[in-house]
Amino acid sequence: MGIFSFLQDVGKKLVGSSAASSDDLKKELDSHKLGTDSVNVTVDNGKVVLTGEVKDQSTFEKTVLAVGNAFGISEVNAEKLAVGGANPGDPVFYTVKSGDNLWKIAEAHYGKGQGEKHTVIFEANKPMLTSPDKIYPGQMLRIPPLK
């Protein structure tokens, strides 16, 4: 479904100060319990390739973010990651900037006065986000459509 760019020098450090291996990224992905057992992860020089299948659009987007937001990763190629269910749409991702919080991000994407929808963004990024106050510049987040 696409190739996604990430900031290579930010993100969760999985192994000290070096970039994560394919095995490290697969363990990180599996730790989120997204149902990604059939997803294969390969990494070469900071570029990840995902293959296999996920059950739906939400799992697809969370899979991309779970590996892409790791330290040392600059790109995630998910072109060979099949999505089950309905026809998937194009994901909307947002890269957190200095001074951002989920309220501001919700207003920017959903419109002025829609800051209270920040909980929708938080829920859409679980389990990678454990608190709405723990976002950092350079981190990429899912922005789901409002229902």
Side-chain angles (χ1 to χ4, degrees), residues 8-119:
Q8 190 168 8
D9 58 346
V10 299
K12 183 175 182 181
K13 293 184 180 180
L14 303 179
V15 286
S17 61
S18 62
S21 69
S22 298
D23 289 339
D24 297 325
L25 289 170
K26 179 62 174 162
K27 286 178 190 172
E28 173 67 11
L29 179 59
D30 290 345
S31 76
H32 295 298
K33 298 181 180 11
L34 299 172
T36 54
D37 296 338
S38 67
V39 174
N40 297 306
V41 180
T42 57
V43 63
D44 182 31
N45 199 25
K47 296 181 179 183
V48 175
V49 175
L50 298 173
T51 57
E53 184 173 358
V54 294
K55 66 179 179 175
D56 57 24
Q57 179 75 19
S58 173
T59 305
F60 171 84
E61 293 172 8
K62 289 181 179 186
T63 300
V64 169
L65 294 178
V67 297
N69 280 324
F71 181 82
I73 302 304
S74 63
E75 180 180 287
V76 175
N77 181 335
E79 292 178 325
K80 294 183 180 178
L81 185 60
V83 180
N87 289 335
D90 290 330
V92 177
F93 294 133
Y94 174 77
T95 303
V96 177
K97 296 175 186 61
S98 182
D100 274 347
N101 59 45
L102 292 182
W103 188 279
K104 287 181 185 177
I105 295 168
E107 286 207 335
H109 286 273
Y110 300 139
K112 188 166 176 68
Q114 296 296 313
E116 73 275 357
K117 302 293 185 189
H118 71 283
T119 57

